[in-house]
Amino acid sequence: MKDSQRTKYAEMINVIANTCLMFCDRKSMSDHIDYDMETNNASSMVPFRQKSTFCELANEVSNWFDGDFDLETLLCDYKIASDCFASYFKRSYSIDLNSDAIAENKREQIFSIINFFNSVDTESSISEISFLNSEKISILKKIKGNKTTLFQAIFILLMVGLIPSYTSKKGSAKQIMRDFHLLMNFLREYARQANIAEQARSSPVLIRFETWVKENDEDEVRRIDLIIITKIFFDVVYGYSSAENTFLFNKQINYIYPDLDGFWSDNEIPGSHFWKFEKLSNGYYLYEYNLISENRRLEYTKHECYIYEEKKNKISFYVCHPTFMKKMVENDNTEFLQEWVNCKITENKECKITRLSFHPTIRVSSPLLPKNLYHIEDDGFYIKTLQNPQLTTINLFAEDDYTLILNHYAITQDYLYVILDKTDIRMLNLPDMPSARYLKIPKSLNSCLDMLTLHDEWGICNFNNGDCYFVVVYSMLRFKINTEEERKQFGFEIVDRIE
């Protein structure tokens, strides 16, 4: 092994030990790798052991986070971010969340830096960080333009004192649970004051992490988790910071449509609890059934399900509870009504999918899907069950059901037009007329509307309770349009021609 490689592996192992990135202290790391890191350092290891030790630690990190994070990349970002922070920001622009005496203006300055990273337009957002001199502003512009949210997360955690510097040798993480809760509170404070969508402000990802922590031992929480949590939170916040950002994020997803027809069970031996996929033009309905024989009832929940390929051989499911859309349009908390899970597909010799194995992404709890779904080969019983007229079939969330028709019709320079069908006319309390009528939507209402094409998903969403909304699916824009007064406040009109 070349000397440069020896130095690199030794340095990275020493940094992991010194910062307690993966372990609460040096003793825990020593026990784990079977090498005394309390009185020695990695430079004393033989070259092969240096490389094999680091590679095994990197494999563990990859397993913890479902292959989404590379330890060497993280350490490289850590080093650069730490150098930048120490050289330009540590003296005047940092706080210690462990201290009770935090100047509020210092906290607000760090919020402003996060806002700057989050903004779409770099130049117009300079005012957010006007308290910095031109040199520091130039550095932040480079971080925003050239660095990932992982780098930015490390940089912010250094600014709030929740991780030590890259060169620190006093990085004991004995108080990791206290630091974890300090981080949760800090991110929530940021979300409350930030100009972001409700889906980000309600911070469901933070709630999921807290649930994961409650379900596991404290020893499972590590300093690297603080970095990854902050990175994921920034991804969510940046994605929902504007309708335009949300639209662009959703447009880049590579949706796929594997053959999932038939019935499924969450046990290898099928029982009275079973599932069924129904393919749609843009995804699936995933029905969850529960047969209660003694009461002759068949209860079901209709989830929405979308499947996409993040990268080669990595499939993910996005699942929405049936109440999600109603909660979303009402700006209600949607914390446990949607989830993203990774999925491993098992096929038989005929390339038919026989099992779906779900595992939550990035150490969060999974409230909607089971651990596995097994394809039911002999489905005669389940077909007869769904067709049985003697059973009382109950949709558990019928009151939240809705119909979203992508009835977009035309786009002009200044307006979008949706053609109204009979249901829309009834829901909007409009009189019957022989000619066609359209909902006319001004593009000036939101910059995202100017990006829409007739191939995108936008139209009128009618709920069972009588509420009616104009919805742009990919951007999560929604406007209540039941009454003329509601339509007028957004500049919507009912017209009988395209102008």
Side-chain angles (χ1 to χ4, degrees):
M1 187 187 299
K2 294 180 180 179
D3 286 344
S4 59
Q5 288 291 92
R6 283 193 62 181
T7 303
K8 180 183 77 169
Y9 287 122
E11 177 185 310
M12 290 190 295
I13 295 169
N14 287 334
V15 168
I16 293 169
N18 292 337
T19 61
C20 293
L21 189 65
M22 296 173 62
F23 307 91
C24 66
D25 54 31
R26 284 176 170 272
K27 183 181 185 306
S28 299
M29 181 172 179
S30 299
D31 294 341
H32 188 77
I33 66 173
D34 193 25
Y35 186 87
D36 185 4
M37 294 295 295
E38 293 186 273
T39 56
N40 299 313
N41 65 51
S43 301
S44 304
M45 292 180 181
V46 297
F48 180 79
R49 177 149 193 179
Q50 288 180 1
K51 182 177 181 180
S52 60
T53 297
F54 180 78
C55 288
E56 283 304 309
L57 292 173
N59 285 337
E60 289 189 39
V61 169
S62 181
N63 290 334
W64 290 347
F65 302 114
D66 305 314
D68 287 337
F69 293 96
D70 176 71
L71 181 58
E72 186 170 347
T73 300
L74 188 151
L75 288 169
C76 180
D77 282 352
Y78 198 161
K79 182 175 184 178
I80 299 170
S82 184
D83 288 345
C84 177
F85 169 69
S87 299
Y88 300 100
F89 294 89
K90 183 175 183 179
R91 181 173 298 178
S92 302
Y93 302 101
S94 63
I95 60 178
D96 181 1
L97 291 181
N98 284 286
S99 171
D100 293 330
I102 299 176
E104 193 56 35
N105 69 311
K106 293 285 187 181
R107 189 191 301 269
E108 293 299 323
Q109 286 174 347
I110 295 176
F111 286 167
S112 296
I113 290 173
I114 300 175
N115 285 337
F116 174 74
F117 289 152
N118 180 27
S119 61
V120 177
D121 188 338
T122 299
E123 293 305 320
S124 65
S125 62
I126 291 295
S127 60
E128 285 275 0
I129 51 174
S130 58
F131 54 88
L132 299 174
N133 62 34
S134 58
E135 181 184 32
K136 292 180 175 61
I137 289 175
S138 177
I139 291 168
L140 292 186
K141 287 171 70 174
K142 289 178 181 177
I143 292 175
K144 177 178 179 175
N146 302 324
K147 301 300 182 183
T148 63
T149 48
L150 177 64
F151 183 99
Q152 294 172 16
I154 295 169
F155 186 77
I156 295 299
L157 286 173
L158 288 164
M159 295 192 81
V160 298
L162 289 182
I163 58 173
S165 70
Y166 185 84
T167 57
S168 172
K169 294 184 180 179
K170 299 177 181 179
S172 175
K174 290 286 190 180
Q175 301 297 323
I176 190 64
M177 290 306 298
R178 180 187 63 186
D179 291 349
F180 172 83
H181 291 297
L182 286 171
L183 176 61
M184 294 296 103
N185 292 336
F186 174 78
L187 295 179
R188 281 201 172 88
E189 281 185 54
Y190 169 74
R192 277 194 291 271
Q193 62 82 49
N195 183 26
I196 54 179
E198 183 63 29
Q199 281 71 30
R201 186 172 291 111
S202 62
S203 308
V205 69
L206 301 184
I207 296 171
R208 298 279 184 89
F209 276 116
E210 287 172 329
T211 302
W212 171 77
V213 168
K214 290 176 184 176
E215 293 173 349
N216 292 275
D217 296 332
E218 290 188 11
D219 291 343
E220 290 291 313
V221 184
R222 302 168 174 91
R223 195 162 266 155
I224 193 172
D225 288 309
L226 304 186
I227 295 174
I228 303 306
I229 288 170
T230 308
K231 188 266 184 199
I232 294 171
F233 176 80
F234 284 174
D235 284 340
V236 172
V237 166
Y238 296 177
Y240 286 122
S241 61
S242 67
E244 184 176 346
N245 275 2
T246 306
F247 180 83
L248 293 173
F249 172 78
N250 285 317
K251 283 280 283 186
Q252 70 184 2
I253 293 175
N254 179 29
Y255 290 99
I256 59 175
Y257 305 92
D259 181 9
L260 300 174
D261 285 348
F263 293 89
W264 299 75
S265 173
D266 43 25
N267 291 290
E268 292 189 70
I269 300 175
S272 59
H273 186 221
F274 59 100
W275 306 67
K276 186 177 186 295
F277 284 95
E278 178 184 317
K279 191 174 182 306
L280 307 171
S281 61
N282 63 337
Y284 303 81
Y285 284 139
L286 176 56
Y287 293 88
E288 180 182 1
Y289 292 98
N290 189 27
L291 175 61
I292 308 173
S293 300
E294 58 270 26
N295 295 331
R296 305 195 68 78
R297 288 162 57 98
L298 180 64
E299 299 177 344
Y300 73 89
T301 301
K302 184 176 71 173
H303 304 278
E304 289 184 35
C305 178
Y306 304 90
I307 306 172
Y308 56 98
E309 188 173 33
E310 292 187 3
K311 50 192 175 184
K312 188 175 181 180
N313 298 324
K314 184 170 183 182
I315 306 299
S316 294
F317 278 55
Y318 171 53
V319 183
C320 295
H321 190 271
T323 58
F324 171 75
M325 180 66 85
K326 193 70 172 70
K327 295 285 189 180
M328 188 268 287
V329 297
E330 293 175 347
N331 281 329
D332 203 345
N333 197 320
T334 58
E335 57 196 42
F336 287 120
L337 302 178
Q338 58 176 329
E339 71 174 350
W340 291 262
V341 291
N342 289 335
C343 179
K344 179 182 178 182
I345 290 177
T346 303
E347 297 179 332
N348 60 18
K349 293 179 180 179
E350 289 76 37
C351 296
K352 178 75 175 177
I353 299 173
T354 59
R355 184 172 69 177
L356 302 171
S357 300
F358 302 110
H359 55 283
T361 58
I362 320 302
R363 301 180 141 203
V364 295
S365 62
S366 178
L368 299 181
L369 288 174
K371 187 174 182 180
N372 294 288
L373 281 177
Y374 301 89
H375 186 253
I376 298 172
E377 294 291 338
D378 185 7
D379 60 3
F381 170 78
Y382 296 100
I383 293 174
K384 291 179 181 178
T385 297
L386 264 58
Q387 297 173 347
N388 189 345
Q390 296 180 347
L391 290 176
T392 302
T393 302
I394 299 173
N395 179 354
L396 295 178
F397 299 94
E399 69 278 8
D400 295 311
D401 214 350
Y402 66 92
T403 302
L404 173 60
I405 304 297
L406 303 180
N407 44 356
H408 41 56
Y409 187 82
I411 299 175
T412 65
Q413 182 174 343
D414 298 315
Y415 296 96
L416 306 171
Y417 290 85
V418 171
I419 190 167
L420 303 179
D421 63 16
K422 291 182 179 180
T423 301
D424 299 328
I425 290 170
R426 176 174 53 81
M427 296 283 284
L428 298 177
N429 297 311
L430 300 174
D432 287 332
M433 291 181 64
S435 60
R437 275 170 293 178
Y438 310 90
L439 179 68
K440 180 181 177 183
I441 303 109
K443 290 183 180 179
S444 58
L445 191 60
N446 190 286
S447 60
C448 172
L449 299 181
D450 210 29
M451 303 167 65
L452 295 179
T453 71
L454 292 176
H455 299 292
D456 294 317
E457 297 185 16
W458 48 282
I460 294 180
C461 184
N462 293 312
F463 287 89
N464 280 1
N465 68 354
D467 288 341
C468 189
Y469 289 81
F470 170 71
V471 173
V472 181
V473 176
Y474 281 173
S475 67
M476 303 184 89
L477 280 175
R478 63 275 187 193
F479 304 93
K480 197 162 187 285
I481 58 172
N482 280 77
T483 66
E484 185 175 358
E485 290 74 19
E486 288 170 333
R487 296 191 291 272
K488 276 185 177 180
Q489 69 175 309
F490 303 121
F492 290 8
E493 298 178 69
I494 305 295
V495 299
D496 57 9
R497 63 171 61 91
I498 308 299
E499 299 173 342

